[in-house]
Amino acid sequence: MDNSNPTVTKQQVMPYFDKWESLQPEIQQLYDAKHSSASELMKIAIANYEELLRVCAPAGGSDRRTKMEPLNGEERLQFIKDKMVSPFALIQLSLLYTELRKKTARFIAN
């Protein structure tokens, strides 16, 4: 890792992952019950994810290997926003969080 790049700390990113981990089961229950309020919680989870991307961005590079964003992240996030009423949006958002967590783990400051 290039030491001239800014770093991201565990303290900066963990609140976002913690919030997701508390929202995800609740959203899943709402989707399972086919409740319309699932999309409201999805909006909160998406905003949380987008803020997390902004926090992580300075630590990443510009190529796909070092950029602090999952592969095809923008397209996948747009799918989630477009298909928010579908349970597949939750699955895709969960995957984005998981992939971003793995990327941050590689670049996190100790």
Side-chain angles (χ1 to χ4, degrees), residues 17-94:
F17 290 116
D18 291 344
K19 184 171 184 175
W20 166 245
E21 288 173 8
S22 69
L23 283 171
Q24 194 272 341
E26 191 174 349
I27 296 169
Q28 183 65 59
Q29 287 178 340
L30 292 170
Y31 274 123
D32 290 347
K34 298 184 182 348
H35 202 281
S36 62
S37 62
S39 61
E40 291 305 312
L41 286 181
M42 280 292 286
K43 289 176 187 176
I44 294 168
I46 291 166
N48 184 64
Y49 177 79
E50 291 174 324
E51 181 62 29
L52 176 59
L53 284 176
R54 284 189 285 280
V55 168
C56 293
S62 59
D63 76 24
R64 69 178 177 82
R65 290 175 294 129
T66 58
K67 191 173 182 182
M68 294 296 270
E69 180 178 302
L71 190 60
N72 298 325
E74 290 177 28
E75 295 88 354
R76 293 162 70 191
L77 187 58
Q78 190 58 52
F79 167 83
I80 293 163
K81 290 176 179 179
D82 292 343
K83 307 290 185 193
M84 208 176 314
V85 296
S86 168
F88 293 109
L90 176 60
I91 293 167
Q92 194 59 237
L93 186 58
S94 183

